Amino acid sequence: MGLRVNVFPGQLVAFLLLLFPVVTLSIHNAGNSILLLLILIALASMAMRVRPDGIGFSDLFRQYWPVALAMSMGVIAVLANQAWSGDFAFKYYDRAFRLAVFPLVLWSIMFVPRKYFRLLLWSLFLAAVVLAVKAFVFFEGGNVRVGNIGFLSIIAYSDIALLFGVLCLTMAASLSTGKVTIACGIIAAAAGAYTGVLTQTRGGWLAVVLFVIFFFHVSSLSLRRKWLVLFSFVVLVAAMFAVNEPGRTRLFNTTSEVINYTQGEGKTTAVGIRLQLWDAALKLFARQPVFGIGRENYEPSIKEMAAQGEVTNELTTLAHSHNEILFNMVISGIFGLVAVLSVYLVPGWYFFRELHHASSEVRAAARCGCLLVLGFFAFGLTDLMFFWPAVAGLYTIMIAAFLAQVHKARYAAAASVG
C-alpha cells in the first residue's frame, strides 16, 4: 500500500509551481529546470510509493489518459516521419517530449495541497508585472525593437505576458476574492497588454478577440456591464498605443501591408513574409501529406523554392513557417496535424465541460484552462509557441496545474455534498 504524504513532496512542488510563472521567462533555463525537477519528483515518489491524496498513478492515468495521449502525439508524429524516411535523429524529439511528460508533471502537481492553488493568482500577477518591467527596460520604453528578448523571441514573450495577465484577472474575478485582488488582476492584464505594445508585436492581439468572446460567454455580469468592461479595455489599450508611436505605427501598417501583398507587392514586409511562409508551407505539405518532409528538410526546401523564384530570399533565414498548424503539417504530415490539434482540443474539452460546475473553484480553474488553450491556439496562428522549449514546458505545467486544481476542487465539492 502506498503512503499518503501531505508535507513532502507537496510543499516542495507547491513552491516550484508558484515560482514557475515568475522565473520561466525571466531567468534562462529556470523553467526547464523546474520541469525537470517535477519529473524527478514524480519518479522518486513512485519509487518510494508515495501517493497524493492516496491516489495511485495508474488510477490517475486512467482518468486522464486521453490528455496524456494527446500530449504524446507530437512524439508519435516525429517517430512516424523518421520511420518512413529512415532518417533518425533524437534532437527532433526535444520539444515533443516536453509535452509528452504531461502524466508525470500532473502526478507531481497532484501533491500540491488544494489551498496553494489560490496563491497561483499572485504568482501570475507578479509574473505579468515583472515581464512588463523587463520589456520596458529592454526596449527603452518601446522606442527600440529587436527580434529576441534574452533567450526568447519577442513574439512568444509578449504573448505569454498577455496570457499571464488574463489568467490572473480571470482567477481574481472567478473566485470573488475582493476588490483589492480584482484590482491586482486588472493591473496584471494591463501589464500583459502593455508588454505587447512595448514589443510592437501584432499577432498576439488575435488572442484578445477569442478572450473577449470567451468572456461574453462565461461571465455572469449583465450585458450592459460586459460592454462597459470591453469599452474600458479598448480605451486603456488605445491610451497605451497613443503614448507609443512606434507600436501605433506598426499596428496601423498591418492593413496596408495586407493590401499591398494582395496586389502583388510588399512581399518583404512582416505581413508579406508571413503570407509567403504560409503559402510555401501548403506547397511543401502537398509534396508529402502523410508523413511530412521532416524537420531536417524544411530549411533546404525553402532555399530550393527561393532559388527557383517561388519565394523571396527573406524566407531562407527563418527556421519555421510562423504558424503552428502549418509547420507541423509540413514536417510531420497528417500525423503532425493530428498532433497539434490534439494538444489544443483534448485538454480544452476537459476544461470546457467544467465551465458551469457548481463550485466557483472548479469554474475558475476550468476558465483558466480554456483561456490557456485558446491563447496558445491563437498565438500559434502567427508564430510557433512550441518551437521554444521553455514555452512548450510552460504549456505542460500550466495544463497540469489547472487540471489538478479542477480535479481536487471537484472531489472536494462532491465530498461536501455527500
Side-chain angles (χ1 to χ4, degrees):
M1 179 180 295
L3 298 175
R4 179 174 176 174
V5 178
N6 293 321
V7 177
F8 180 85
Q11 304 292 342
L12 174 59
V13 178
F15 171 75
L16 293 175
L17 178 60
L18 296 175
L19 180 67
F20 179 76
V22 182
V23 303
T24 186
L25 301 190
S26 304
I27 303 174
H28 188 40
N29 282 329
N32 294 329
S33 299
I34 291 177
L35 178 65
L36 178 59
L37 285 173
L38 291 176
I39 295 171
L40 293 176
I41 289 171
L43 295 174
S45 65
M46 290 180 195
M48 297 168 62
R49 302 192 68 189
V50 178
R51 297 180 175 183
D53 300 326
I55 303 172
F57 179 79
S58 59
D59 296 329
L60 189 68
F61 188 83
R62 276 195 293 269
Q63 291 189 55
Y64 300 108
W65 71 263
V67 184
L69 177 60
M71 300 288 275
S72 301
M73 286 301 298
V75 172
I76 296 173
V78 176
L79 180 61
N81 169 265
Q82 294 187 354
W84 172 77
S85 66
D87 187 6
F88 290 91
F90 185 75
K91 62 181 179 180
Y92 297 120
Y93 289 93
D94 178 41
R95 295 164 178 83
F97 271 130
R98 293 171 191 272
L99 298 174
V101 296
F102 165 80
L104 295 176
V105 175
L106 177 62
W107 173 255
S108 285
I109 294 179
M110 285 295 294
F111 281 101
V112 177
R114 183 167 145 248
K115 62 182 180 180
Y116 286 102
F117 283 106
R118 284 178 173 263
L119 297 179
L120 189 58
L121 183 155
W122 297 106
S123 178
L124 292 167
F125 167 77
L126 184 58
V129 172
V130 167
L131 293 178
V133 171
K134 181 179 177 179
F136 185 87
V137 173
F138 199 90
F139 294 101
E140 299 178 11
N143 293 315
V144 298
R145 187 175 192 268
V146 293
N148 292 339
I149 178 166
F151 57 92
L152 196 65
S153 78
I154 58 172
I155 301 174
Y157 182 94
S158 61
D159 287 346
I160 297 301
L162 172 64
L163 183 61
F164 281 167
V166 171
L167 292 176
C168 178
L169 177 58
T170 300
M171 290 190 70
S174 300
L175 294 173
S176 302
T177 46
K179 294 181 179 179
V180 174
T181 308
I182 292 177
C184 289
I186 294 173
I187 293 172
Y194 188 49
T195 301
V197 175
L198 288 169
T199 58
Q200 303 172 37
T201 54
R202 297 175 287 189
W205 296 106
L206 292 174
V208 174
V209 177
L210 295 183
F211 293 159
V212 169
I213 295 173
F214 183 80
F215 164 72
F216 270 74
H217 174 70
V218 303
S219 176
S220 59
L221 295 175
S222 66
L223 184 61
R224 181 172 176 270
R225 290 190 174 184
K226 289 178 182 178
W227 281 109
L228 180 61
V229 170
L230 178 59
F231 176 76
S232 301
F233 174 77
V234 171
V235 171
L236 178 62
V237 173
M240 292 178 183
F241 277 109
V243 297
N244 190 294
E245 183 178 354
R248 182 174 69 252
T249 301
R250 196 164 189 273
L251 180 65
F252 289 162
N253 285 343
T254 305
T255 303
S256 60
E257 289 179 16
V258 172
I259 294 174
N260 288 340
Y261 185 84
T262 60
Q263 295 175 345
E265 302 175 356
K267 290 186 176 182
T268 59
T269 63
V271 172
I273 289 174
R274 268 182 174 74
L275 293 173
Q276 282 194 83
L277 284 168
W278 299 346
D279 181 60
L282 291 172
K283 292 178 179 177
L284 292 175
F285 170 70
R287 293 183 184 180
Q288 184 45 254
V290 178
F291 296 103
I293 65 174
R295 177 71 175 275
E296 70 280 4
N297 293 318
Y298 177 76
E299 291 185 36
S301 298
I302 291 293
K303 290 179 180 179
E304 177 186 346
M305 295 179 73
Q308 295 175 356
E310 296 182 63
V311 298
T312 60
N313 287 327
E314 284 78 9
L315 272 65
T316 61
T317 63
L318 302 174
H320 54 74
S321 304
H322 275 273
N323 182 289
E324 200 85 57
I325 296 174
L326 290 177
F327 188 66
N328 279 276
M329 289 168 59
V330 170
I331 64 174
S332 301
I334 294 298
F335 287 89
L337 174 62
V338 172
V340 69
L341 291 181
S342 297
V343 165
Y344 300 136
L345 295 176
V346 178
W349 166 249
Y350 272 79
F351 293 120
F352 178 80
R353 68 181 187 176
E354 304 291 349
L355 285 177
H356 301 291
H357 195 279
S359 167
S360 62
E361 189 176 348
V362 173
R363 292 197 305 273
R367 290 174 181 179
C368 287
C370 284
L371 288 169
L372 178 66
V373 173
L374 284 174
F376 267 75
F377 169 76
F379 300 150
L381 294 177
T382 56
D383 197 29
L384 256 67
M385 300 301 288
F386 300 130
F387 178 83
W388 304 96
V391 178
L394 183 150
Y395 188 78
T396 300
I397 291 175
M398 298 307 291
I399 287 287
F402 292 130
L403 196 58
Q405 186 179 9
V406 166
H407 180 98
K408 287 174 172 286
R410 188 178 59 196
Y411 275 83
S416 64
V417 172

